[in-house]
Amino acid sequence: MREEELQKIMDNALEKSRGHIAFGKTADYIPELGCADRNDLGISIYTKDGKRLHSGDSDVRFTVQSISKVVSLAVALERCGFDRVFRKVGMEPSGDAFNSLVKLDLSSNYPFNPMINSGAIAVSSCLVSAVTFDEMLDITRELCLDGGIQINERVYRSEMANIARNKAIAYLLESKGILENDVERSLDFYVRMCSLNVTTDSLAGFGLALASDGIHPQTGRRMLDSDVVQTVKTIMFTCGMYDGAGEFAVRVGIPSKSGVGGGILSVVDREMGIGIYGPALDNKGNSIAGQCMLEDIAKKLKLHIFAADRYR
């Protein structure tokens, strides 16, 4: 597809989706996230053949939040190994809210998957003794093709001041023998990763890296092992959109991960990475207009993983 055609599809999808913003709200249970402009909306697409396209508020920096769980999982698989990670956390969709601890307390000794808070805290506990936060920052910058990523100190402090629920989850994990390191260190690592500032370009860059089997799209250097990338993309597809993952898989059909900062990372295998920003969220914590944009683009470009004519 010509660049002009793809740009027009992006622009039209963004404008069509703006009307949905009115039905969403920012994540004001973290005060600093509640300060975001709910009307912001942006998208970037990076393609394997070198196109770099943007529309709307693609230059606004926002915190990555739960999308950082993809980075943490990938690094944990690389540094700690598949068996060690998945002894601590499962691979199944939870069907519950991302910050729920009900099933962890009543029906399971392990978090259901690494994309919910309990699972990500367990993964962070593995990482604390395997990698420093500064190393994680450098890895995130490389994966996102964005050397400008920094921690947002205001969001970090706001989250640490409103961390009671995640503390409850972490201490419950500790009581079950799941955490490998100190609760407070594990939580601090987890929140720092959530507080990294990105743009839609950063997410599109990361998406392209995953779509390219973990190979840097500019230098050709392998950043992640192929098996790690396969595992990460699979879990994104089944668990990446909180308890809305099933409906999203049907409607959009692209491995994706959302964050309550308003971001969505999407991976079109062997084709492109897509980054979305829209801080007005639905009741599951996903960008309400961002999902509409992705659905519209997926239909027009036939990106659904099971589209009959995708590989023609």
Side-chain angles (χ1 to χ4, degrees), residues 47-62:
T47 68
K48 206 166 179 183
D49 62 358
K51 298 183 183 71
R52 302 290 186 267
L53 303 178
H54 331 269
S55 189
D57 299 301
S58 60
D59 58 346
V60 173
R61 286 212 175 258
F62 57 94

Side-chain angles (χ1 to χ4, degrees), residues 274-291:
I274 304 175
I276 296 280
Y277 176 53
L281 311 178
D282 66 13
N283 60 6
K284 298 181 186 298
N286 299 315
S287 173
I288 193 164
Q291 292 176 92

Side-chain angles (χ1 to χ4, degrees), residues 19-170:
H20 294 271
I21 291 174
F23 302 101
K25 58 179 291 188
T26 58
D28 54 7
Y29 60 90
I30 299 171
E32 197 62 33
L33 296 186
C35 296
D37 186 343
R38 69 197 297 269
N39 292 308
D40 280 350
L41 191 61
I43 180 171
S44 297
I45 291 180
Y46 282 17
T47 68
K48 206 166 179 183
D49 62 358
K51 298 183 183 71
R52 302 290 186 267
L53 303 178
H54 331 269
S55 189
D57 299 301
S58 60
D59 58 346
V60 173
R61 286 212 175 258
F62 57 94
T63 50
V64 68
Q65 296 300 321
S66 283
I67 300 170
S68 67
K69 294 169 182 172
V70 180
V71 179
S72 294
L73 175 60
V75 176
L77 291 170
E78 292 270 353
R79 299 290 180 94
C80 305
F82 184 95
D83 291 340
R84 181 177 162 194
V85 170
F86 288 110
R87 278 198 301 268
K88 302 293 183 180
V89 59
M91 307 179 196
E92 303 299 331
S94 70
D96 291 325
F98 61 90
N99 60 354
S100 175
L101 46 70
V102 174
K103 285 181 181 172
L104 179 63
D105 191 26
L106 298 179
S107 63
S108 175
N109 282 326
Y110 300 92
F112 271 66
N113 65 73
M115 299 292 109
I116 55 176
N117 291 13
S118 57
I121 292 168
V123 170
S124 294
S125 183
C126 289
L127 283 171
V128 163
S129 55
V131 62
T132 68
F133 174 72
D134 285 341
E135 287 179 287
M136 286 296 289
L137 179 57
D138 287 340
I139 291 167
T140 304
R141 287 168 172 165
E142 183 178 39
L143 289 172
C144 293
L145 318 182
D146 180 1
I149 294 174
Q150 300 282 357
I151 189 169
N152 184 319
E153 292 289 348
R154 291 179 64 176
V155 171
Y156 166 73
R157 289 193 296 270
S158 185
E159 292 203 38
M160 291 301 289
N162 295 272
I163 200 172
R165 191 169 187 86
N166 280 334
K167 272 195 174 183
I169 291 171

Side-chain angles (χ1 to χ4, degrees), residues 247-266:
E247 182 176 354
F248 184 87
V250 171
R251 291 183 178 276
V252 182
I254 305 171
S256 299
K257 180 70 191 90
S258 63
V260 296
I264 303 177
L265 158 71
S266 296

